[in-house]
Amino acid sequence: MNNPSKPFSRRSFLAGASTLGALYASSKFASIPALAETLADDPRIAKQPIADKGFASIRKIGDGLYATIADRSKGLQARCNGGFLIGRDAAVMVEGFQTTTGAAFQLETLRTVTQLPVRAAINTHWHFDHTLGNSVYGGAAIPIWAHADVPARMSAVYPKWQGEELSTFLAPWEKRAAEAKTDTQREHAKSDIEGLTGMFKPVSETVLALPNHALDPAKMPIKVDLGGLTVVIDSYIGHTDTDLIFRVPEQNVVYTGDLLTGGQYPVNINGYPTRWRATLANFATFDKNTLFVPGHGQLMGQEGVAEMRSCFDDIAEQAEKSYKAGVPVEEAVERYVVPDRYKNYRQFSWGFTIGRTIEQLYAEWSGKPVHILNYS
Ligand SMILES: [Zn+2]
């Protein structure tokens, strides 16, 4: 088995990639600063991190508030952002990351700041890159909280992958690439294979630790009092049907999970684009000084929400033109043109970002059922 900290070497990947592949690669490996330029003078945010492992750094972003910001150019041990919140009596942590290394880094760093009990480690949603490090928390007797449906979603997909060979799993996707009618279609199909491999491998190498404390969305928002610091947990639909956000209203800080991401196309593998856009419209009504800790990308303010909304708008506008012109959905997916302003956006893969979004919008417009938990 490969070393999980080095899923593939940059050189071998680039050597086998076409021009389009190289474009994906260059945006994938570009290092990003931990915060957006617009926040350079935000007094809430510490200039220096309290810990930095390369693959992620952790910095203070408020009174008792810390953000873990992943840098995928230096490794995928964290892959997603997270953080921790500390009151007078207790702390909570955000995210389980992609590996136990990422989760251990966050827990160890928390312990350099406080010895207070950790009431919970909370997963923002069920995806592998937010949950695979959970066993570290389990081992430290920290309860793992999540939306009530997270264990079922994880159980429906990941154990199946763990019992399967990568080649079997990828077979239908390899077939699509082989049967592609155009070069772009083939490149896009290959990007899907790459994205799928990047999910399958970490899942197959990890002992799953499911959340053991269910948060009922019907009872939200839930207030958690950490002693002088109140965290409001709320449920939204969008990136998945298990998305949670954590708000600290007194400080205008929000941890959003993947409902908000920066520098990349929205990953819509299990998403609900229309409700997701409504959720982002809701974020836009939050205070203008809100500091967002997104699921991926830099710390951002409201301009980050606006940018993600306009990216969604662009996909929807291009799709709608195709739809109204009677263009079949498979062709509409291929016809989408990445505007210059998103040229540097990372794409998890073409199919799981742009493709699934257009497919789902088409299905909604034509009143067809949409399959969400679908990896083939
Ligand atoms: Zn996700």
Side-chain angles (χ1 to χ4, degrees), residues 36-373:
E37 262 173 44
T38 47
L39 297 175
D41 298 321
D42 191 313
R44 290 170 291 188
I45 307 172
K47 299 275 182 232
Q48 296 300 325
I50 58 167
D52 190 346
K53 287 266 192 196
F55 64 77
S57 63
I58 300 180
R59 76 184 60 223
K60 199 160 190 275
I61 59 163
D63 195 7
L65 307 179
Y66 295 79
T68 302
I69 303 296
D71 183 349
R72 59 178 299 124
S73 73
K74 303 201 178 92
L76 293 175
Q77 293 90 334
R79 188 158 176 167
C80 75
N81 296 332
F84 42 84
L85 304 86
I86 307 168
R88 273 194 315 272
D89 308 324
V92 295
M93 293 198 294
V94 180
E95 301 293 26
F97 305 98
Q98 175 164 295
T99 69
T100 51
T101 308
F105 171 51
Q106 180 159 281
L107 179 55
E108 282 160 17
T109 308
L110 166 83
R111 283 297 174 227
T112 66
V113 180
T114 180
Q115 297 307 314
L116 284 170
V118 180
R119 194 170 297 165
I122 320 177
N123 297 153
T124 58
H125 63 292
W126 66 272
H127 281 160
F128 70 107
D129 52 332
H130 301 254
T131 54
L132 290 183
N134 274 346
S135 63
V136 166
Y137 305 141
I142 297 167
I144 303 164
W145 296 7
H147 183 292
D149 290 335
V150 163
R153 295 286 175 278
M154 291 176 74
S155 303
V157 177
Y158 297 148
K160 183 170 171 287
W161 294 2
Q162 293 184 323
E164 212 168 33
E165 290 297 325
L166 178 61
S167 55
T168 316
F169 172 70
L170 290 178
W173 303 86
E174 299 280 11
K175 186 162 174 279
R176 271 183 46 203
E179 291 172 357
K181 293 188 198 84
T182 63
D183 284 351
T184 22
Q185 222 174 46
R186 188 170 310 107
E187 287 303 336
H188 293 164
K190 281 185 184 167
S191 76
D192 292 343
I193 291 168
E194 197 200 313
L196 285 161
T197 306
M199 290 196 284
F200 184 95
K201 280 195 169 176
V203 170
S204 68
E205 289 161 358
T206 305
V207 177
L208 295 177
L210 304 182
N212 56 3
H213 179 96
L215 300 173
D216 180 355
K219 296 189 179 134
M220 292 191 193
I222 298 169
K223 282 188 182 176
V224 181
D225 181 5
L226 300 174
L229 182 75
T230 301
V231 187
V232 182
I233 305 177
D234 213 347
S235 149
Y236 287 88
I237 304 263
H239 173 68
T240 67
D241 58 358
T242 63
D243 297 319
L244 301 180
I245 69 166
F246 315 119
R247 291 181 80 169
V248 182
E250 294 89 42
Q251 300 190 49
N252 281 328
V253 172
V254 190
Y255 299 75
T256 65
D258 287 359
L259 287 166
L260 180 64
T261 56
Q264 63 177 47
Y265 268 90
V267 180
N268 209 18
I269 301 175
N270 312 116
Y272 301 78
T274 299
R275 297 173 80 175
W276 194 347
R277 291 168 81 195
T279 294
L280 289 168
N282 188 322
F283 289 177
T285 68
F286 291 2
D287 189 278
K288 69 176 175 22
N289 290 319
T290 301
L291 172 59
F292 292 95
V293 182
H296 302 271
Q298 303 172 304
L299 290 170
M300 57 176 75
Q302 281 288 2
E303 81 291 340
V305 176
E307 188 176 313
M308 188 169 181
R309 291 181 76 196
S310 89
C311 182
F312 254 130
D313 291 347
D314 180 68
I315 300 174
E317 280 160 22
Q318 292 195 40
E320 197 180 0
K321 265 187 209 143
S322 291
Y323 182 76
K324 286 187 172 158
V327 175
V329 65
E330 312 80 56
E331 203 183 318
V333 167
E334 296 308 319
R335 274 195 193 187
Y336 176 81
V337 178
V338 176
D340 279 347
R341 62 186 187 281
Y342 305 130
K343 280 273 192 287
N344 291 326
Y345 265 30
R346 188 181 118 73
Q347 287 167 18
F348 179 87
S349 80
W350 187 271
F352 291 145
T353 55
I354 292 149
R356 277 288 155 94
T357 305
I358 294 175
E359 285 163 16
Q360 289 179 30
L361 290 173
Y362 256 65
E364 282 177 22
W365 293 333
S366 58
K368 286 186 192 141
V370 184
H371 299 289
I372 303 295
L373 255 188

